Amino acid sequence: MQTAHSIEKRPISDAIIYLAIACFVIGLGGYAYMGSFIRLIGDDYCYGGVLQTKGFFGGQWASYLEKVPYHGDRYTLTLVSFVISLLPPAVNGWIPLVTIVLYCLALYLFFQNLLRRTDVDMPVAVRILIAVATAYFTLLLAPTVRQSLYFRSAMLPSFAPVIATLFLVSQLLKISKPKEHHIVLTGLFAFINGGLAETGAAFQGMALGVLLLAALWSVRKSRWQQWHPVVLPLVGIAGTLLSATMMALSPSISAALEADKVSLGAALRLSLGHTLDAYSGFFKTQYLVVVVLLVVGFLAAVVAWRILTDQTEKPRFDLKSLVIPLALAQLASLLLIFAIMLPSAYSRGVYPDPRHLIAVSVVMVINLMVVGCVLGKQSLAVIVKLPKWMETVGLIGAAVLLLGIGLLYPVRYLPYAIQDRLLYQYWSGKWTQRDATIRTAAAQGEMEVHVMLLDHLIEDVGELGSEPDKNWYNQCAADYYGIKIYADQPGWDEGFAEFLSNYP
């Protein structure tokens, strides 16, 4: 229940909160802006090439059964990549923006349903702030945002399944008593999302496993009488296991799996070591951001719950309500990171590729945001003992500090996020010209075409080269365009220098 005193505070604090939201949206907009210049790169040509040579349905069948220049076992990844390949290349420039929007929405729903499940309320504006702040810091801390966000063929198996898992978990948190269509949709969604990548399937399976443990606790509280909370997590886990089994049985990767696979025991030990390294390393290398995330969660909770708390109510400090959520958050984080590490350890005996480590950033940012919120909520027991004027000043001060963090991070670091914008813009223009040249030559029935050699934008992802018989990206592009391509013409460096001269 809100009193007149609390309502009077809201216009000032709400206005500041919305300004803070705008700051984080600006920061996210910088990443979306950079991604808008992306076209086809690397493996993108290979999906398009198989689509052109094998057809839409035949290409998916061939990808699963035959050797292809990408992970053909990932049936959902093949399907989605084929659909995108049917669209104009410029669509790839919109994918980072769509990904960011979906991630923010998934985070908002996750926090909203998690709060509802724990009987905690929070104003919409604060929930939005937490969602966009979490999204921004995830991208800021990602080891390679170029691969995990900009490069479509890396984003889909690394970032997309994590986003989809957040959607799935948020919906399962929302559903109290599942109906038949909930069961069917949960199993189907888990099976489809699991087919994006092995790491994504492991992450989803572990997330559902954590949810299953929470559901079993609810069953225990009902004296083992009400078992419906465990139904959907179990169905989701079954769908995930089915997806992992289907990928493992794919003939397209069976030889590679047998060549590099290590024993299960060794993989578990390796994954455990990698988990502890990633967890402790996050605190050691990102200690400043760790503090900032805790402060954001803390201040958001103070602003949210003090506004919604009746002034006649006196919140009390509860050690149990502090320690248990903090411990559970760390346990869940360690389990999820372990799941991220396991597929690479089992299939190749290595640490995951940097593109997949964005999932670790997601886990740790959410973890610290939750920890900050719990600490903030418990601090109300001290705040309500302050004089009313100090409480009001503190509330507005908390909102101002949130705005300050928004100015110091997403707004201040915006130039850093877009520092390569001229390179991306130049590359995009030259790519479009090259694409037009290749399509014109192919339409005229020519057997080969010579085009400019472009610099590559994404680390560890090559470009079309001058030796098509040795460069497999050239071979994929030849299938995609229907013509042999020699990217051997000069002009990149000179053109880029001239391009930069127009921007003093």
Side-chain angles (χ1 to χ4, degrees), residues 82 145 271 286 299 353 447:
F82 276 21
V145 73
S271 299
Q286 306 294 344
L299 295 175
D353 294 333
M447 300 300 295

mmCIF file of all heavy atoms in Angstrom, residues 82 145 271 286 299 353 447:
data_model
loop_
_atom_site.group_PDB
_atom_site.id
_atom_site.type_symbol
_atom_site.label_atom_id
_atom_site.label_comp_id
_atom_site.label_asym_id
_atom_site.label_seq_id
_atom_site.Cartn_x
_atom_site.Cartn_y
_atom_site.Cartn_z
ATOM 1 N N PHE A 82 19.209 -21.081 -43.047
ATOM 2 C CA PHE A 82 18.632 -21.198 -44.393
ATOM 3 C C PHE A 82 17.537 -20.156 -44.610
ATOM 4 O O PHE A 82 17.446 -19.542 -45.666
ATOM 5 C CB PHE A 82 18.066 -22.598 -44.602
ATOM 6 C CG PHE A 82 19.092 -23.612 -45.031
ATOM 7 C CD1 PHE A 82 20.437 -23.403 -44.791
ATOM 8 C CD2 PHE A 82 18.718 -24.772 -45.678
ATOM 9 C CE1 PHE A 82 21.394 -24.335 -45.190
ATOM 10 C CE2 PHE A 82 19.655 -25.702 -46.085
ATOM 11 C CZ PHE A 82 20.999 -25.495 -45.833
ATOM 12 N N VAL A 145 32.279 -9.433 -28.657
ATOM 13 C CA VAL A 145 30.950 -9.013 -29.075
ATOM 14 C C VAL A 145 30.822 -9.073 -30.598
ATOM 15 O O VAL A 145 29.731 -9.244 -31.141
ATOM 16 C CB VAL A 145 30.649 -7.595 -28.544
ATOM 17 C CG1 VAL A 145 31.455 -6.546 -29.313
ATOM 18 C CG2 VAL A 145 29.170 -7.271 -28.634
ATOM 19 N N SER A 271 35.957 -29.720 -16.899
ATOM 20 C CA SER A 271 34.891 -28.720 -16.832
ATOM 21 C C SER A 271 34.823 -28.069 -15.467
ATOM 22 O O SER A 271 34.584 -26.852 -15.353
ATOM 23 C CB SER A 271 33.536 -29.368 -17.162
ATOM 24 O OG SER A 271 33.530 -29.900 -18.470
ATOM 25 N N GLN A 286 37.308 -8.416 -13.488
ATOM 26 C CA GLN A 286 36.232 -7.439 -13.675
ATOM 27 C C GLN A 286 35.765 -6.862 -12.342
ATOM 28 O O GLN A 286 34.589 -6.552 -12.178
ATOM 29 C CB GLN A 286 35.043 -8.111 -14.395
ATOM 30 C CG GLN A 286 35.386 -8.798 -15.699
ATOM 31 C CD GLN A 286 35.822 -7.827 -16.778
ATOM 32 O OE1 GLN A 286 35.604 -6.623 -16.676
ATOM 33 N NE2 GLN A 286 36.411 -8.357 -17.840
ATOM 34 N N LEU A 299 20.852 -0.221 -5.533
ATOM 35 C CA LEU A 299 20.107 1.035 -5.641
ATOM 36 C C LEU A 299 18.738 0.828 -6.269
ATOM 37 O O LEU A 299 17.750 1.451 -5.850
ATOM 38 C CB LEU A 299 20.911 2.038 -6.465
ATOM 39 C CG LEU A 299 22.246 2.502 -5.863
ATOM 40 C CD1 LEU A 299 22.976 3.403 -6.842
ATOM 41 C CD2 LEU A 299 22.018 3.212 -4.539
ATOM 42 N N ASP A 353 35.299 -21.846 -27.001
ATOM 43 C CA ASP A 353 35.679 -20.714 -27.837
ATOM 44 C C ASP A 353 35.141 -19.424 -27.218
ATOM 45 O O ASP A 353 34.084 -19.423 -26.574
ATOM 46 C CB ASP A 353 35.121 -20.880 -29.249
ATOM 47 C CG ASP A 353 35.746 -22.055 -29.975
ATOM 48 O OD1 ASP A 353 36.891 -22.402 -29.654
ATOM 49 O OD2 ASP A 353 35.086 -22.628 -30.870
ATOM 50 N N MET A 447 32.147 -17.354 -66.088
ATOM 51 C CA MET A 447 32.600 -18.479 -65.280
ATOM 52 C C MET A 447 33.358 -18.037 -64.026
ATOM 53 O O MET A 447 33.407 -18.769 -63.040
ATOM 54 C CB MET A 447 33.498 -19.392 -66.117
ATOM 55 C CG MET A 447 32.802 -19.968 -67.346
ATOM 56 S SD MET A 447 31.354 -20.974 -66.911
ATOM 57 C CE MET A 447 32.136 -22.309 -66.028
#
